[in-house]
Amino acid sequence: MKDWTGVEEAYRVSFATLCAGTVTMMVDAVAGGAGPLLDVGCGTGELAAQALRRGHRVTALDPDPAMVAMTRERIGEDSQACLDVAALPDLPYPNGAYGAVCANFVINHVEDPRACVRELARVAAPGARVAMTIWPAAGAGWNPLVGGAFTDAGVVPVASTRLPEHLDFPRTPQGLAALATEADLEVLTAQEVTWTWSVSPEDLWAGVAGGVATVGQTFLAQEPQVQRAAARRYRERAAEAVAPDGMLHLPSRAVLVLASQS
């Protein structure tokens, strides 16, 4: 998704909580680095907040001013934090400025993944760790529920948003690791990680109906009667899948690569 304007609140209550599932893993992975931590694509501020709690000085950035505002709301006026509106692959920071760099579900949204990973490497200090996550090629844990409702309702897919072949890369540990290697980073680990996303049926649907990511843009592109049918079938399917605590507990997977600047 390239433009998050107007969907920030829908994202905050829905898929932001999914993306938060890897935050602790990433902050753990870069722990011990000297110098400040750079949070690229800070979103709602969960990673920045956790890094601050662990004693890091943090620079957090996002291309969307509303996301930066959400991060500011999340962390408050912390003297150890600097927030910027900025975007890959042109970051306004000197070479080697950061002792740790995190990009949580960012490289899967950019137009030139290789250029963006090179930029992460550029701002990483010698010895700094760079942690990146992306969504793997296989379907997400929430997809059978939402995708099944879409199929039942006759939702028409939107045009493909995949990158051109010469810019794309395999959405696997090996594929993301190769981007790090091409950027002259030393790959330390490249793996799939798993967790359970606990979300209320209402909050998950808020992301879809609010236009978040391809699934939300697909929903908004439908005729009103198809939208109504999709919402109805989602509610019916969610009622069958919901746990006794009223939540959906959905298996989730991501690719996590940890690399080091030489």
Side-chain angles (χ1 to χ4, degrees):
M1 186 164 175
K2 298 176 183 177
D3 186 3
W4 295 85
T5 304
V7 304
E8 298 90 350
E9 182 59 25
Y11 173 69
R12 184 186 67 79
V13 302
S14 60
F15 295 107
T17 65
L18 171 60
C19 295
T22 54
V23 163
T24 297
M25 304 178 206
M26 297 191 77
V27 178
D28 285 346
V30 300
L37 180 149
L38 182 64
D39 177 13
V40 179
C42 56
T44 59
E46 183 60 35
L47 194 149
Q50 188 168 142
L52 287 165
R53 288 196 300 270
R54 297 205 198 179
H56 290 276
R57 287 178 291 132
V58 174
T59 296
L61 66 96
D62 201 282
D64 190 313
M67 293 288 189
V68 174
M70 282 189 179
T71 296
R72 172 60 68 197
E73 181 181 357
R74 177 75 175 82
I75 65 176
E77 295 295 333
D78 194 310
S79 63
Q80 297 299 304
C82 174
L83 273 64
D84 289 322
V85 176
L88 290 169
D90 298 304
L91 300 181
Y93 311 120
N95 294 349
Y98 293 94
V101 179
C102 293
N104 195 29
F105 301 112
V106 172
I107 301 304
N108 46 278
H109 287 298
V110 299
E111 296 183 357
D112 189 341
R114 288 170 180 80
C116 292
V117 175
R118 286 196 299 269
E119 184 72 346
L120 298 180
R122 181 187 69 79
V123 298
R129 291 190 168 191
V130 178
M132 302 177 286
T133 53
I134 59 168
W135 300 114
W142 52 266
N143 188 61
L145 177 59
V146 177
F150 276 20
T151 299
D152 294 346
V155 167
V156 178
V158 296
S160 173
T161 56
R162 290 191 64 86
L163 294 174
E165 185 176 351
H166 71 284
L167 293 175
D168 208 353
F169 67 100
R171 306 307 170 100
T172 63
Q174 295 77 16
L176 185 57
L179 298 190
T181 300
E182 290 177 30
D184 294 326
L185 295 168
E186 178 188 356
V187 175
L188 305 176
T189 60
Q191 60 185 320
E192 277 202 0
V193 295
T194 62
W195 71 101
T196 298
W197 181 31
S198 296
V199 61
S200 73
E202 295 79 12
D203 284 349
L204 172 51
W205 189 251
V208 177
V212 177
T214 300
V215 65
Q217 294 299 301
T218 300
F219 176 79
L220 294 182
Q222 307 304 304
E223 295 294 331
Q225 67 271 19
V226 177
Q227 292 183 356
R228 290 192 294 270
R232 182 179 65 254
R233 286 299 294 136
Y234 169 79
R235 288 192 295 269
E236 292 168 353
R237 284 174 169 266
E240 297 173 356
V242 72
D245 63 359
M247 304 290 282
L248 299 167
H249 301 288
L250 304 172
S252 303
R253 301 163 50 246
V255 170
L256 170 61
V257 166
L258 176 65
S260 178
Q261 178 59 278
S262 59

